[in-house]
Amino acid sequence: MTTLSEFNVRTGGATDWINITNQVQKIVDASGVSEGICAVFIPHTTAAVTINENADPDVPRDVNLALNCISPDRREFQHSEGNSAAHTKTSLVGPSITLIVTGGKLLLGTWQGIWFNEYDGPRTRKVCVRVLGE
């Protein structure tokens, strides 16, 4: 069995991390898949998705600080939209993740959550989720 679903995320700014774990789990629930995989894809070039700690609100802030050190906004950038740092951060974090589904649930560690990462907001963004399995 395979299903494809989408939902929108409204971001408030260029450092937003939005926990989308519950929305993705609801899609897995609706799919009826008990054993399989779930792919989450962000079809944007200045937003990403990652799995990280969902208990301490300092984690997103700290990761954003680190990414800003790795890819600061630089006046040498030539991209006309002025968001080259956002494109770089998206390339580093990535547009997709794959999770295991077992017993009808996403296999995540105790402290893990699925995070939508905005690097160029505010925007309304799309999240695509494909669930495959039986």
Side-chain angles (χ1 to χ4, degrees), residues 10-85:
R10 179 72 186 152
T11 67
T15 59
D16 269 6
W17 276 39
I18 299 169
N19 190 325
I20 60 171
T21 309
N22 289 337
Q23 292 102 312
V24 175
Q25 182 60 59
K26 286 178 185 174
I27 291 169
V28 172
D29 293 343
S31 76
V33 170
S34 178
E35 301 295 326
I37 61 170
C38 174
V40 180
F41 174 68
I42 310 302
H44 303 284
T45 60
T46 57
V49 64
T50 192
I51 297 172
N52 213 310
E53 183 175 330
N54 66 356
D56 183 346
D58 288 334
V59 171
R61 184 189 65 81
D62 292 350
V63 173
N64 279 330
L65 282 171
L67 287 171
N68 286 336
C69 289
I70 294 167
S71 181
D73 198 15
R74 302 178 56 100
R75 63 176 177 262
E76 296 91 0
F77 287 149
Q78 295 183 16
H79 181 45
S80 63
E81 292 179 19
N83 59 358
S84 289

Side-chain angles (χ1 to χ4, degrees), residues 7-16 18 42-48 79 81-84 86-87 116-127:
F7 62 91
N8 290 325
V9 173
R10 179 72 186 152
T11 67
T15 59
D16 269 6
I18 299 169
I42 310 302
H44 303 284
T45 60
T46 57
H79 181 45
E81 292 179 19
N83 59 358
S84 289
H87 288 288
F116 178 93
N117 307 130
E118 175 65 70
Y119 300 118
D120 193 35
R123 302 266 194 278
T124 298
R125 302 292 200 163
K126 184 188 304 186
V127 177

Side-chain angles (χ1 to χ4, degrees), residues 102-113:
T102 187
K105 301 295 179 200
L106 295 166
L107 181 60
L108 290 165
T110 301
W111 304 109
Q112 289 182 320

